[in-house]
Amino acid sequence: MDPTVERRCHFLFALSLVLLTFGIGYCVIVGTCLADFIIVIAGLFVGWVALFYCLGNASFWG
């Protein structure tokens, strides 16, 4: 995998984990989940984008 693509993959996965951790953690600690639902959805979306982007640019495809 190209080093630039690898850095993007790591950044996207890290962003996804931060969004999910913040959204779910805030929901558990504070108890208000409606506003954080969008943060959780954004984290899931970024995670799926990261997964497909990294798999699409993986070196084992050819």
Side-chain angles (χ1 to χ4, degrees):
M1 187 179 295
D2 185 35
T4 306
V5 172
E6 189 173 355
R7 278 191 298 261
R8 285 184 193 143
C9 285
H10 289 158
F11 175 75
L12 287 171
F13 276 123
L15 179 63
S16 172
L17 288 175
V18 166
L19 287 172
L20 287 171
T21 301
F22 180 76
I24 294 171
Y26 190 83
C27 181
V28 168
I29 292 172
V30 177
T32 57
C33 296
L34 185 58
D36 299 315
F37 182 69
I38 295 187
I39 295 174
V40 172
I41 295 300
L44 289 172
F45 178 75
V46 171
W48 279 106
V49 167
L51 178 69
F52 289 132
Y53 179 75
C54 295
L55 282 177
N57 288 303
S59 59
F60 58 79
W61 293 117

